[in-house]
Amino acid sequence: MTTVSIIKADVGGFPGHSTVHPKLKEKAGEMLKDAKSKGIITDFFVGWCGDDLDLILSHNKGTDSSDIHGLAWDVFKQCTEIAKELKLYGAGQDLLSDAFSGNVKGMGPGVAEMEFEERKSEPIIAFLMDKTDPGAFNLPVYRMFGDPFSTAGLVIDPALHSGFKFEVFDVYKGRKVVMKCPEEMYDLLAIIGGRSKYIIKTVFPSAENGKIPEKEPVAVVSTDKLSLIAGEYVGKDDPVALVRAQSGLPALGEVLEPFAFPHLVAGWMRGSHCGPMMPVSLEDASPTRFDGPPRVVALGFQLANGKLVGPVDLFKDKAFDLTRQKSLEIADYMRRHGPFEPHRLPQDDMEYTTLPKVLKKLEPRFEKI
Ligand code: F6R
Ligand code: MG
Ligand code: MG
């Protein structure tokens, strides 16, 4: 069995919350190279999106491995030291605790990982987002595995025709539910449309898929919401996801197709605004306009006995130029609302920002009508 893990954190921005300093990437690369030479991991790639450092790791230690999480924690700790020396912005902000207890879950960093039997050929895509929250993956992941208008294979390919199962987390109540498409499509959409509360965590094939075992995950999203862990706003969640493709699964192009639509997501400026999700190359993954707009990078790999062959910077494709153009138009349109909804998040979601501190001050001024 092979495990692919993305473990990510913002341990300091340069400047402000815009990018990752090259020295942090360099340090992460050195440490992971060392871990590879010691056989702790099989392979790695140091990715980034905006101010987030995304460690993409392959290994055979399974999910929730304390070796792997411990390694990532050490990398983030060491990078934090460099961030402190350079006085980078928000140095160590996503490491919410000083003591590592075997698993990074609930400690600040985000995790998306899955264990599976590597197929004869195993294309895998790592999606890295910045300036948004995990709910930003609901629409594209649903469309990849549930929407026949986006994924042609759901209609045409007998393996996909039997559908997929979606495991959805209710992140406020700490509970989950599994729903199968196409049978329960309307029920699924009823909940995942509420993307601040319900988040698609994992996708599994149906029992009738015939190509991929029913118990093997085919897509996984990091669902960690920093605001829920810390109780108040401590930066954003900036989620990541892993998706397997081809041969009984959506084709590479079907996995990418949902991102041709720049859907509106939460998390722009101060984690408090809605804006369009813009697909970009690594080179363009530096959000600066109004600290955004939100963006996503897609890195494609072929797994070869655990080795990560790649990546190919998939959104570099000119075919996404029109989407980018559209994103910029939408960004302009949304910006003109200034502090008004729906550019600013709905009042309930503002709970986890710094706005309540302002509102508290106004409280004594209100009189009964
Ligand atoms: C953080 C982010 C930024 C900050 C904003 C204010 O990931 O996206 O928009 O929320 O720059 O940051 P502070 O309060 O640290 O000055
Ligand atoms: Mg930041
Ligand atoms: Mg970020």
Side-chain angles (χ1 to χ4, degrees):
M1 299 283 266
T2 301
T3 308
V4 180
S5 307
I6 312 182
I7 308 184
K8 51 101 13 196
D10 171 355
V11 292
F14 161 66
H17 289 282
S18 64
T19 73
V20 178
H21 193 282
K23 284 211 166 136
L24 269 51
K25 296 178 202 167
E26 206 180 293
K27 182 71 187 174
E30 280 166 17
M31 290 180 73
L32 295 178
K33 195 170 166 202
D34 182 55
K36 184 176 164 177
S37 73
K38 290 182 179 139
I40 301 168
I41 52 174
T42 315
D43 209 352
F44 71 90
F45 180 76
V46 177
W48 68 90
C49 186
D51 54 5
D52 288 271
L53 190 56
D54 301 290
L55 313 178
I56 303 171
L57 313 169
S58 62
H59 54 93
N60 51 21
K61 304 216 158 38
T63 57
D64 289 322
S65 153
S66 55
D67 287 353
I68 301 301
H69 285 224
L71 170 64
W73 187 261
D74 287 344
V75 171
F76 294 139
K77 275 285 188 202
Q78 297 272 327
C79 288
T80 297
E81 288 313 308
I82 299 174
K84 282 182 178 160
E85 273 166 38
L86 299 175
K87 292 184 69 177
L88 298 183
Y89 195 69
Q93 69 158 46
D94 283 0
L95 307 187
L96 302 180
S97 160
D98 280 338
F100 176 71
S101 57
N103 195 304
V104 297
K105 264 191 216 157
M107 315 253 321
V111 191
E113 50 185 356
M114 54 183 171
E115 185 181 31
F116 50 87
E117 200 68 63
E118 195 178 299
R119 293 173 290 166
K120 198 169 76 193
S121 182
E122 187 70 60
I124 187 159
I125 301 108
F127 289 100
L128 319 173
M129 287 183 175
D130 190 37
K131 306 300 182 248
T132 189
D133 67 14
F137 275 111
N138 277 11
L139 184 147
V141 172
Y142 163 72
R143 297 196 77 186
M144 287 172 208
F145 293 95
D147 180 5
F149 275 71
S150 190
T151 291
L154 292 168
V155 178
I156 298 172
D157 182 331
L160 278 80
H161 203 86
S162 54
F164 290 90
K165 286 176 290 182
F166 296 77
E167 180 188 48
V168 180
F169 279 15
D170 172 345
V171 290
Y172 286 89
K173 292 201 173 146
R175 52 184 193 159
K176 61 182 182 178
V177 61
V178 177
M179 286 182 187
K180 165 92 195 333
C181 273
E183 297 89 326
E184 297 180 291
M185 177 192 283
Y186 299 157
D187 291 331
L188 176 70
L189 288 169
I191 59 170
I192 62 170
R195 55 165 164 60
S196 66
K197 181 170 186 206
Y198 297 102
I199 300 169
I200 297 175
K201 175 67 190 176
T202 319
V203 181
F204 295 97
S206 74
E208 296 77 32
N209 180 285
K211 293 200 170 162
I212 317 271
E214 194 187 356
K215 294 258 163 347
E216 270 192 12
V218 293
V220 65
V221 177
S222 70
T223 47
D224 318 77
K225 272 174 96 80
L226 283 172
S227 52
L228 296 182
I229 298 168
E232 67 172 295
Y233 183 72
V234 280
K236 282 184 306 300
D237 320 286
D238 303 335
V240 291
L242 279 167
V243 181
R244 299 164 69 193
Q246 308 283 163
S247 298
L249 296 176
L252 175 73
E254 289 169 335
V255 170
L256 302 179
E257 179 62 11
F259 293 96
F261 169 58
H263 68 301
L264 290 172
V265 300
W268 193 0
M269 184 48 90
R270 298 178 184 275
S272 309
H273 294 81
C274 267
M277 176 49 70
M278 182 162 75
V280 292
S281 65
L282 273 176
E283 201 182 319
D284 290 326
S286 314
T288 57
R289 181 175 178 194
F290 198 54
D291 287 0
R295 53 199 79 196
V296 56
V297 163
L299 302 177
F301 299 91
Q302 284 290 146
L303 273 177
N305 306 313
K307 287 253 159 58
L308 290 163
V309 179
V312 172
D313 194 349
L314 296 164
F315 288 144
K316 208 168 179 177
D317 185 356
K318 287 214 167 334
F320 287 94
D321 282 355
L322 213 55
T323 309
R324 289 187 265 271
Q325 189 57 38
K326 186 58 109 189
S327 302
L328 301 180
E329 283 163 19
I330 296 169
D332 240 18
Y333 172 81
M334 293 303 282
R335 277 303 301 125
R336 288 183 66 184
H337 291 80
F340 285 81
E341 296 177 7
H343 184 26
R344 199 172 79 184
L345 298 191
Q347 206 61 21
D348 277 0
D349 294 340
M350 293 299 289
E351 238 354 76
Y352 298 92
T353 70
T354 45
L355 186 68
K357 287 183 184 148
V358 176
L359 295 182
K360 203 168 168 204
K361 204 180 66 191
L362 298 179
E363 200 51 42
R365 310 234 339 243
F366 281 93
E367 297 169 27
K368 207 170 169 57
I369 302 172

